[in-house]
């Protein structure tokens, strides 16, 4: 099961390598089936695209390129050339197909079409005014990046339900320990 705390698909996709700075980060895209599940769970596609190992490798490569350009944008540094070229190459692909029918809208596509949507979203966000809204979660163990749309731009965590609660609970426990000492 995948998590979607960032509010934008490409950042949630980057977050499929959890605890990135740890000695052993958690890989959420460990198989083609996990990639298929991500596309469906994210709502990008109604049916799994049927990823294979080569497409999984392409997806992981894009994820790392997206991470590199996002980290550079967050740090207000020059975007890495190789990562930027990969993002732009995939952004030029065809998007997921959306069709309207009697039962509503349907979304179908291949892995490459899904990756094109993610790369295109990254280009639009990182290349526009929303890049100024990029933040990294304040919980030291978390490496999620999100767009801060909160009033006052004071959001601290990728998700209050997970990271925010953990930080607040840890602070509470620390205060309780210091009061007992």
């Amino acid at each position: 099961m995948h998590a979607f705390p960032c509010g934008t698909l490409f950042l949630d996709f980057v977050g499929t390598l959890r605890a990135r700075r740890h000695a052993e980060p958690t890989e959420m895209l460990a198989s083609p089936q996990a990639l298929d599940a991500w596309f469906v769970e994210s709502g990008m596609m109604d049916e799994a695209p049927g990823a294979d190992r080569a497409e999984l490798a392409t997806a992981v490569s894009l994820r790392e390129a997206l991470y590199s350009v996002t980290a550079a944008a967050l740090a207000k540094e020059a975007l890495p050339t190789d990562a930027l070229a990969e993002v732009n190459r995939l952004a030029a692909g065809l998007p997921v197909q959306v069709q309207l029918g009697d039962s509503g809208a349907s979304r179908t596509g291949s892995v490459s079409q899904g990756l094109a949507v993610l790369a295109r979203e990254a280009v639009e966000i990182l290349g526009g005014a929303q890049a100024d809204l990029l933040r990294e979660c304040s919980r030291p163990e978390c490496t999620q990046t999100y767009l801060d749309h909160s009033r006052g731009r004071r959001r601290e965590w990728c998700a209050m339900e997970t990271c925010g609660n953990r930080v607040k609970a840890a602070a509470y426990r620390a205060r309780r320990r210091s009061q007992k000492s």
Side-chain angles (χ1 to χ4, degrees):
M1 183 129 187
H2 296 282
F4 301 91
C6 301
T8 183
L9 286 181
F10 101 86
L11 291 174
D12 286 324
F13 188 71
V14 169
T16 60
L17 184 62
R18 300 234 176 99
R20 187 175 281 276
R21 290 188 209 92
H22 285 202
E24 294 183 33
T26 304
E27 176 61 76
M28 300 305 293
L29 298 179
S31 69
Q33 294 77 20
L35 178 59
D36 282 345
W38 190 91
F39 281 124
V40 173
E41 290 172 26
S42 71
M44 184 187 294
M45 295 183 199
D46 296 330
E47 297 177 9
D52 62 26
R53 288 260 170 225
E55 290 169 322
L56 175 62
T58 301
V60 169
S61 180
L62 174 63
R63 179 189 67 199
E64 295 310 304
L66 291 170
Y67 174 75
S68 293
V69 295
T70 301
L74 189 59
K76 308 288 190 225
E77 297 173 350
L79 303 179
T81 306
D82 291 346
L84 188 59
E86 183 165 2
V87 170
N88 285 331
R89 180 179 60 79
L90 288 169
L94 294 173
V96 169
Q97 185 175 358
V98 180
Q99 291 186 332
L100 181 61
D102 290 335
S103 59
S106 66
R107 295 162 197 81
T108 58
S110 64
V111 170
S112 64
Q113 288 173 299
L115 297 179
V117 169
L118 295 170
R120 188 172 290 119
E121 183 181 53
V123 167
E124 291 174 1
I125 289 172
L126 297 176
Q130 289 191 76
D132 290 336
L133 302 177
L134 281 174
R135 305 285 185 274
E136 187 173 65
C137 184
S138 294
R139 195 182 106 197
E141 298 81 22
C142 184
T143 55
Q144 292 277 27
T145 304
Y146 59 90
L147 294 177
D148 183 1
H149 290 287
S150 69
R151 190 182 328 188
R153 307 292 184 253
R154 293 188 313 252
R155 182 172 158 193
E156 295 181 50
W157 305 290
C158 61
M160 185 61 194
E161 303 80 32
T162 54
C163 291
N165 283 342
R166 288 177 186 166
V167 170
K168 287 182 174 204
Y172 174 77
R173 287 191 300 274
R175 283 192 307 275
R176 297 277 294 167
R177 276 193 299 274
S178 69
Q179 289 172 354
K180 290 180 181 180
S181 300

